[in-house]
Amino acid sequence: MELKKLTLAALVATLGIGLVGCGSDGDSTTITVEGDTTTNTGGDTGGDTGGDTDVPSGPSELCPSWTTVKNRDAEGNDVCALPSVIDEDRTLTNDIVWLMEGRVTVGNGNEEMSTTQGLLESGDNVMDVTLTIQQGTEVKGATGTFANLLITRGSKIDARGTAEAPITFSSDDAGYEGTGEWGGIIIHGYGEHNECFGTPTCNVDSEGESGFAGGFDNEDDSGRISYLRLVEGGFEFAEGNEINGISFMSVGRGTQIDHIQVHANADDGIEMYGGKVNMSYVILTDNLDDSVDWDEGYQGNLQYVLVEQIDTDVNEGNAIEADTEGTLDECYLPGLQRCG
């Protein structure tokens, strides 16, 4: 499968070089990263330059049994639709275009937790599921839907692209020029949240009607994301209830986030709700609301963040919005133990 070139206002710089932003004269510098190398793992190098216009069509042939077979796309790539629930370890390979037709939920940790660790209120055990995404993989949300990827408490995402072959999330229409065409990525964790201090369990009603998140472990690990770009997202359920590019709900600092870009999201680029996840090398361009937003007790560190706000005629957001909404029990101030 050939990963087409994606040219944006700015893109994640190569590890070790750092970030390139504005020129010395104050004008923004366009950075182009060409990801058009072939990443087909099936043996075909895709290097045919003979001008053959016979693009394979019809049903895809590579779809695993746990997905739904779709017709190949306009470029002849195999397309497989993901199920609404992923309840065991799965890998998204880079020889397939993976389609989200709605919400794709990894694990079951977005249900309410009981007071017993690792047990849901329903009596079921919390699943430990890892979704692995290979470098160079394309994941697409059905255009005009709230299609989104949800990683729930207890489960993980392992999405490691490279500078040469980043992982790309977009809508399934042609090009990368839209906004608000699908949802985004939502990650839940067991990190601390302002609404849970002094309570025996933590079940915070989460972003984008995605269920419950939160806990009391800021060391929690929700996986790793490196060299990932997300474009054209941001779904609005109702006024004040939207899906950000990437939402981090009580995500702990055991999670590794680096070299990511969110471009042209209809809401915030990234938003952190509690937790303590750290991030580095973050590019946020042309998002229609805040580029960076945190609240509800977020305590993490952000290092090397480049923001390019879109024209203010279409954006009333901020480069950074920093709040700490939610309750904070006085018994859990720094240096003090929880009451009871």
Side-chain angles (χ1 to χ4, degrees):
M1 180 180 69
E2 184 176 339
L3 181 61
K4 294 297 183 180
K5 183 191 301 183
L6 174 58
T7 303
L8 301 175
L11 208 57
V12 179
T14 303
L15 181 63
I17 296 176
L19 300 180
V20 181
C22 297
S24 59
D25 59 357
D27 294 331
S28 61
T29 301
T30 296
I31 308 162
T32 302
V33 174
E34 297 183 358
D36 54 352
T37 55
T38 298
T39 55
N40 192 324
T41 58
D44 182 359
T45 62
D48 182 8
T49 57
D52 186 359
T53 58
D54 293 332
V55 177
S57 60
S60 299
E61 297 179 349
L62 301 180
C63 295
S65 60
W66 52 274
T67 65
T68 301
V69 176
K70 311 298 287 189
N71 285 331
R72 292 183 176 92
D73 65 16
E75 297 170 357
N77 297 314
D78 284 275
V79 179
C80 308
L82 295 172
S84 60
V85 176
I86 295 177
D87 56 9
E88 57 183 288
D89 294 351
R90 299 297 189 189
T91 297
L92 307 188
T93 56
N94 55 25
D95 56 347
I96 291 172
V97 172
W98 303 91
L99 177 66
M100 298 185 295
E101 298 180 299
R103 169 163 288 156
V104 175
T105 300
V106 178
N108 62 352
N110 61 331
E111 299 176 26
E112 290 195 80
M113 297 286 174
S114 72
T115 55
T116 302
Q117 184 175 1
L119 195 67
L120 298 171
E121 189 67 35
S122 64
D124 294 334
N125 292 322
V126 178
M127 294 178 181
D128 178 5
V129 179
T130 297
L131 178 66
T132 302
I133 306 177
Q134 290 185 347
Q135 65 183 46
T137 299
E138 290 188 84
V139 182
K140 299 190 175 185
T143 301
T145 73
F146 86 131
N148 62 93
L149 177 63
L150 169 60
I151 309 297
T152 69
R153 290 180 289 189
S155 292
K156 295 181 178 66
I157 182 172
D158 187 356
R160 306 188 199 187
T162 66
E164 295 76 21
I167 294 165
T168 304
F169 277 72
S170 69
S171 68
D172 65 344
D173 66 359
Y176 300 98
E177 296 78 22
T179 188
E181 295 183 351
W182 62 290
I185 298 175
I186 303 173
I187 304 176
H188 290 182
Y190 286 112
E192 294 177 346
H193 190 284
N194 277 2
E195 293 183 9
C196 292
F197 293 133
T199 63
T201 59
C202 186
N203 291 296
V204 180
D205 195 7
S206 299
E207 163 76 2
E209 301 181 6
S210 57
F212 298 96
F216 306 104
D217 180 12
N218 273 337
E219 305 302 318
D220 184 47
D221 180 4
S222 294
R224 177 174 178 178
I225 297 177
S226 297
Y227 289 100
L228 180 147
R229 54 196 182 185
L230 186 151
V231 300
E232 307 178 302
F235 181 86
E236 184 178 42
F237 292 95
E239 186 174 355
N241 184 12
E242 304 95 356
I243 295 180
N244 303 302
I246 308 179
S247 300
F248 298 89
M249 292 293 312
S250 297
V251 176
R253 65 180 175 185
T255 310
Q256 182 175 333
I257 307 294
D258 64 84
H259 295 87
I260 62 173
Q261 179 181 24
V262 179
H263 177 75
N265 200 74
D267 194 36
D268 299 336
I270 58 174
E271 185 163 2
M272 290 70 73
Y273 305 82
K276 205 168 185 176
V277 61
N278 300 320
M279 304 179 211
S280 60
Y281 300 99
V282 179
I283 304 291
L284 303 164
T285 51
D286 289 356
N287 297 297
L288 302 190
D289 198 1
D290 306 316
S291 291
V292 179
D293 193 348
W294 71 74
D295 52 20
E296 299 173 5
Y298 172 65
Q299 303 175 53
N301 298 320
L302 304 175
Q303 185 178 36
Y304 308 127
V305 179
L306 177 62
V307 169
E308 182 178 84
Q309 288 286 95
I310 199 168
D311 191 297
T312 54
D313 289 340
V314 295
N315 179 12
E316 297 181 357
N318 307 287
I320 298 175
E321 179 177 336
D323 304 309
T324 184
E325 295 177 357
T327 59
L328 175 61
D329 193 296
E330 63 180 6
C331 301
Y332 201 86
L333 293 173
L336 299 179
Q337 296 181 351
R338 284 194 186 90
C339 294

